[in-house]
Amino acid sequence: MTERTAPEGPVAGRARNPRGHGEQLRRDILAAVGRLLDDWGGIDKLTIRAVAREVGVAAPSIYLHFADKAELVWAALDDKYTDLAARMTAADAAARPQDARNRLRAQARAYCRFALDNPGHYRLMFEVPQPSVAATRINRHPSRHVSSSLRAACARCVDEGGTLALPVEQAALTLWAGLHGNIALSHSLLSTAPMDALILNVADGLVDALVPQRAPEGQPFGPPVAETAASRQIRAMLAGAGEPGGAHQESGDHHQA
C-alpha cells in the first residue's frame, strides 16, 4: 500500500466541465476517493477538502454531489458491495434450485470467497471504521445489498417448509456476523497460514446451525420461532426510520471537511 499524505496547499487548476457534464465530475470525485482510500487503507485522513484537492476543484463543488463525508464514502464503496452481492446471487442461482438451505450455503461460501480473493477491498468494506451516522440512516448503507440477499435466502428456507433457529431478520444478521467474524479472525490471528478450507467449512457449519435439516416427509416441524427483541429491533431499522427527507441529518455533517 502506497503511503500518501493528505494533500495541502491550494487547489490544483481543473478545466470547468461543459454545461450538463456534472455527472463526469461526480465520477471524478468517486475515482479520487477510491484512490485515496486505497492509498491510505482507511478513512481517517479523508476529508472533503482532501478530495477536492485530489480532483482539482473547490470543496463546495463536492457538496453539490454529496451531502457529507458518509455519503461520499458510501458512494465510493458502493460498487464493491454490489460486486459482492452479485457474486452471492450468482452462487445462489447456480445451486440446486429446490434446496433453499443449499442456496443459502452457496451464498455464505461466495461471501467468504470474495473476502479471501479481495482482502484489501474487504478490509475497507467491513474492517475499517466508516463515518458515524445516525441510526436512522444505516439502512441506506450500501452493505444493504448483502444483508437483503441473506434475508431473502433465509426467508426462502422457511417458505420451503424449513425452520430457522432464529427469526428471519435475526438469523440473517447472525449468519452475516458469523461469516465476518470468521474472516476477521483469520486476518488478525491466522494470517500466516492458509485458512481457505477452514473458513469455508466454518461457513457451512453456521448455515447448518441456523437452518436445521428439513423434517422427514410426513413429520412436521415444531412451531415457528417466536419473535425476539433483536428481531424486532432489526425490523424497525429496516423499516425505516431512515427514509430520505426525514429529520435525520446530523448537525455538523458539512464540517467534516
Side-chain angles (χ1 to χ4, degrees):
M1 183 179 297
T2 303
E3 179 65 22
R4 185 200 293 226
T5 57
E8 298 295 343
V11 174
R14 171 191 169 97
R16 181 183 296 273
N17 283 321
R19 184 179 297 276
H21 286 205
E23 188 57 34
Q24 180 60 51
L25 175 57
R26 178 185 170 87
R27 288 193 291 269
D28 292 346
I29 291 168
L30 293 179
V33 175
R35 290 193 300 274
L36 294 175
L37 290 177
D38 285 343
D39 286 349
W40 293 335
I43 69 163
D44 289 347
K45 301 177 187 176
L46 189 76
T47 64
I48 296 294
R49 291 190 184 95
V51 175
R53 292 188 184 100
E54 180 76 9
V55 179
V57 298
S61 296
I62 308 293
Y63 287 120
L64 291 175
H65 295 272
F66 303 98
D68 56 23
K69 180 176 174 178
E71 190 174 297
L72 181 61
V73 171
W74 292 3
L77 294 177
D78 185 80
D79 63 325
K80 296 176 176 57
Y81 293 104
T82 300
D83 180 26
L84 170 55
R87 295 183 189 211
M88 293 166 64
T89 298
D92 182 305
R96 292 193 298 273
Q98 300 306 315
D99 186 346
R101 187 168 182 261
N102 190 59
R103 292 169 67 184
L104 178 60
R105 183 183 288 109
Q107 286 207 36
R109 280 181 158 249
Y111 181 97
C112 294
R113 248 317 144 207
F114 176 91
L116 292 167
D117 294 342
N118 304 276
H121 286 170
Y122 187 85
R123 287 186 173 93
L124 277 176
M125 294 161 67
F126 295 114
E127 296 181 18
V128 173
Q130 294 187 20
S132 298
V133 299
T136 51
R137 290 179 68 184
I138 199 62
N139 66 350
R140 289 185 283 153
H141 190 280
S143 63
R144 68 186 184 278
H145 305 313
V146 176
S147 58
S148 63
S149 185
L150 292 174
R151 281 195 306 276
C154 286
R156 277 199 307 266
C157 292
V158 176
D159 292 342
E160 283 194 3
T163 296
L164 300 177
L166 295 166
V168 167
E169 297 86 359
Q170 189 176 355
L173 183 57
T174 300
L175 175 57
W176 186 12
L179 296 174
H180 171 68
N182 185 20
I183 293 158
L185 281 173
S186 74
H187 285 170
S188 61
L189 300 177
L190 304 166
S191 59
T192 59
M195 302 303 297
D196 297 26
L198 178 59
I199 286 172
L200 295 174
N201 288 334
V202 169
D204 289 346
L206 286 167
V207 173
D208 292 345
L210 288 167
V211 189
Q213 289 279 5
R214 293 182 54 148
E217 191 68 29
Q219 297 182 26
F221 277 114
V225 177
E227 277 198 351
T228 65
S231 68
R232 286 191 293 270
Q233 184 176 1
I234 296 166
R235 189 177 300 116
M237 290 172 65
L238 294 171
E243 287 300 319
H248 53 70
Q249 181 85 7
E250 296 93 335
S251 61
D253 275 346
H254 278 41
H255 299 291
Q256 292 180 308

